[in-house]
Amino acid sequence: MEVWVLFSVFVTGLIIGVPVAVTLGLSSATYLILKGIPLVVMPQKIYAGMDVFVLLSIPGFILAGNLMNRGGITNRIIRFANALVGWIRGGLGLTNIAASMLFGGITGTAVADAASIGGVMIPGMKKAGYPADFSAAVTAASSTVGPIIPPSVPMIIVGALSGISVGKMFMAGAVPGILMGLAMMVTCYIISVRKNFPRQAWQGFGEVFGSLAHAFWALAMTGLIIYGLLSGLATPTETAVVASVYAFIVGAFVYRELPVRDVPQVLIESGISSAAILALVGFANVFGWILVSEQIPQAIANAVLSMTDNRIVVILIINVLLLFVGMFMETIAALIILFVPLLSLAQAVGIEPLHFATFAVLNLMIGLTTPPVGVCLFVCAGIAKLQLTPVVRAIFPFLLTNILVLFAVSYYSPLATWLPSLLE
C-alpha cells in the first residue's frame, strides 16, 4: 500500500506542476510517515546522495560555462559556425545546429544552450525570413546535443551512480553527439530546400579563418577539459576548477567582455543553478533508496525477463520506457531513479554498462524536446513568442531524426564504446 501511495503522490505532483525535487521530497516523506520510519532518515539520505566527490565538478562546469557565456563566447561561436555553413540553403538553421554542437561542448547543459544560442539565433532567423516555429524548433532540437558532447552534466551524474569513469562517459558521448548534429543538419537542409528558405552569400575563407581566430580561445576550452581528463593529470572536479579559472581569464583579459564587477553575479547565478541540481540529486536519492528497499528494480527486471530475454527486444523496451519517462520527468531525476534498475536489466542480457549509459542519456536528452514537460521547448517557444503547439509540430522531423540516431547507437555499440576503448 505504501508504495502505491508513494507513486500516487509523485505522479499527482508532476501532473499539477509541482517542481520535480519537491515532488520527490513530498512523496518520499509520505512513504516514510506511512511506513513508520523516522523522518531523520530523510536528511541522512539527501546528504548521502550529494556527498559524492565527482558531483563537485558540476558547479565548476556550470560556472565555467556561465563565465564564458558572459564573456562573449556566444557571438563568436555563432560567427564561426555561420562562416562554415551559412552559405548553404537554410544556412542560418545549419548555423544554429553547428553553434549548438560547439557551444554544448563548453556548457554541458541543454537549457543553457537553448537560452544562449536561441536568444541570438531565433530573432536573427525570424528577421532573415525563416518561420518563427521552425526557428524555435531547430534551436530546441539542436540544444539536446550539448549534454551529449563532452563535458556533460548528465554524464557526470551517471558516472557517480554507476562508478563508470567520467572520462570514458565523456568520450562515449562524442560520436553519438556528432551524429545527432549531422543528422539534424541533413534534416534542416531537406526542409530548407523544400520550403525554399533563404541562404547567405559565401563570405570567403578569410572570414572562416578570421572567425576561427576570434573563437579559438572559446573552442580551446573543450580541448582543455578533455585533455585534463584523458591525460590523468586531473580529476573531473579539478578539471572543472581549471576550466572556470581559464574561462575567467579568457573572458576578462582576452576577449575583455567580462567586467570583473559582473563576476559576483555570475557566481551567484551559478550557485543557484548548482544548488537546484544537487537538491534534485539529494531528493531523488531518497526516492531511489525507497525503491531499492521495496525491491522495485528487481521486480522491473524480473517482469521484463519473464517476457523475454532477447537482447534486441530488451533494448527496445528500455528505449520506449525512457522515451515515455522523458516526456514527463526531468532528466537528472529520471537518471537517478531509473538508471540503476535498468542497468541491472541491461547487464542481464549482455549489454555493456558504458554502452547502456550512453544510449540512456541520449534517450533522456530527447525528452527535453518532447511535450508536455520539454524544458527546451518552453524556453525556445518563449524566445520566439509562440504558443507551444506550433513549435511541437515544427520539431517533429528533428525528433524523428534524433530517435533514429538513438536506435543506431542502441543497437550498434561501437558508436558509443569505440572511442573510450582507445583509452585502455
Side-chain angles (χ1 to χ4, degrees), residues 149-390:
I149 296 175
S152 164
V153 170
M155 294 290 193
I156 295 169
I157 299 290
V158 166
L161 289 171
S162 63
I164 300 172
S165 162
V166 172
K168 286 189 175 182
M169 285 298 309
F170 280 3
M171 289 298 95
V175 174
I178 292 170
L179 283 177
M180 277 182 69
L182 294 177
M184 282 189 283
M185 283 185 168
V186 171
T187 303
C188 178
Y189 176 74
I190 292 171
I191 294 173
S192 300
V193 170
R194 290 181 59 188
K195 298 190 176 183
N196 198 33
F197 287 159
R199 61 188 292 179
Q200 296 175 289
W202 166 246
Q203 300 177 61
F205 286 106
E207 172 61 15
V208 172
F209 291 116
S211 60
L212 173 61
H214 279 87
F216 172 78
W217 292 106
L219 299 176
M221 184 172 171
T222 301
L224 174 71
I225 292 168
I226 294 174
Y227 177 75
L229 290 171
L230 300 189
S231 65
L233 293 176
T235 64
T237 302
E238 292 164 346
T239 303
V241 173
V242 172
S244 296
V245 174
Y246 175 92
F248 170 72
I249 293 172
V250 170
F253 303 110
V254 179
Y255 292 159
R256 297 183 180 179
E257 292 189 22
L258 176 65
V260 175
R261 66 177 178 274
D262 288 355
V263 173
Q265 182 61 35
V266 175
L267 288 169
I268 291 171
E269 292 172 359
S270 302
I272 292 172
S273 299
S274 303
I277 292 174
L278 291 175
L280 182 59
V281 170
F283 283 117
N285 188 61
V286 181
F287 194 91
W289 170 75
I290 293 172
L291 295 184
V292 171
S293 66
E294 290 287 348
Q295 297 187 327
I296 301 298
Q298 294 91 323
I300 293 173
N302 292 336
V304 173
L305 294 174
S306 67
M307 294 186 292
T308 179
D309 59 358
N310 184 290
R311 183 174 180 272
I312 294 174
V313 177
V314 169
I315 289 177
L316 177 63
I317 291 172
I318 290 173
N319 274 322
V320 170
L321 173 63
L322 289 177
L323 283 171
F324 178 76
V325 168
M327 294 172 65
F328 300 96
M329 193 181 298
E330 198 276 340
T331 302
I332 294 174
L335 280 173
I336 294 173
I337 294 169
L338 292 174
F339 183 81
V340 173
L342 291 181
L343 176 61
S344 301
L345 172 60
Q347 288 181 296
V349 294
I351 301 172
E352 295 177 66
L354 183 62
H355 177 212
F356 168 73
T358 305
F359 74 74
V361 171
L362 179 58
N363 194 313
L364 290 171
M365 287 303 100
I366 294 173
L368 292 171
T369 56
T370 55
V373 193
V375 180
C376 293
L377 278 180
F378 285 99
V379 170
C380 294
I383 295 171
K385 300 179 181 177
L386 291 173
Q387 296 295 320
L388 198 61
T389 303

